[in-house]
Amino acid sequence: MTEFKSDFLRTIYDRGYVHQCTDEAALDHELAENAPRNAYIGFDCTADSLHVGSLIPIMLLRLLQKSGHKPIVVMGGGTTKVGDPSGKDESRQILTEE
């Protein structure tokens, strides 16, 4: 698909952010016709800082916001309790509130 009705999809495709998408037409329709939509990203608060791997999702949320949608950033809660098990052989143990 080359002509998007959604400003968001047009922008992220123009910038080369998308490698592949399962159903571009349905996503384009949803973002253009049923706006505003919500999107979120969660961060693990036990980490020392954000890292470069967080940059693209943050940039995408900002572009979503500039396109008239609603970004939500979650810090803590379930994201912090579970943490980031990437690169490990097993899942992290769920942390307590403390």
Side-chain angles (χ1 to χ4, degrees), residues 6 28-38 64 67-70:
S6 162
D28 185 42
H29 174 78
E30 186 66 27
L31 292 172
E33 305 298 326
N34 296 322
R37 304 303 298 171
N38 298 337
L64 194 77
S67 299
H69 301 281
K70 183 179 179 183

Side-chain angles (χ1 to χ4, degrees), residues 8-19:
F8 175 70
L9 283 185
R10 192 175 318 109
T11 300
I12 65 172
Y13 270 84
D14 287 349
R15 293 184 182 195
Y17 285 5
V18 180
H19 174 68

Side-chain angles (χ1 to χ4, degrees), residues 48-69:
D48 293 335
S49 66
L50 295 177
H51 51 78
V52 73
S54 304
L55 182 60
I56 295 295
I58 291 169
M59 290 170 59
L60 287 170
L61 280 185
R62 178 64 178 131
L63 291 172
L64 194 77
Q65 181 181 39
K66 289 173 76 172
S67 299
H69 301 281

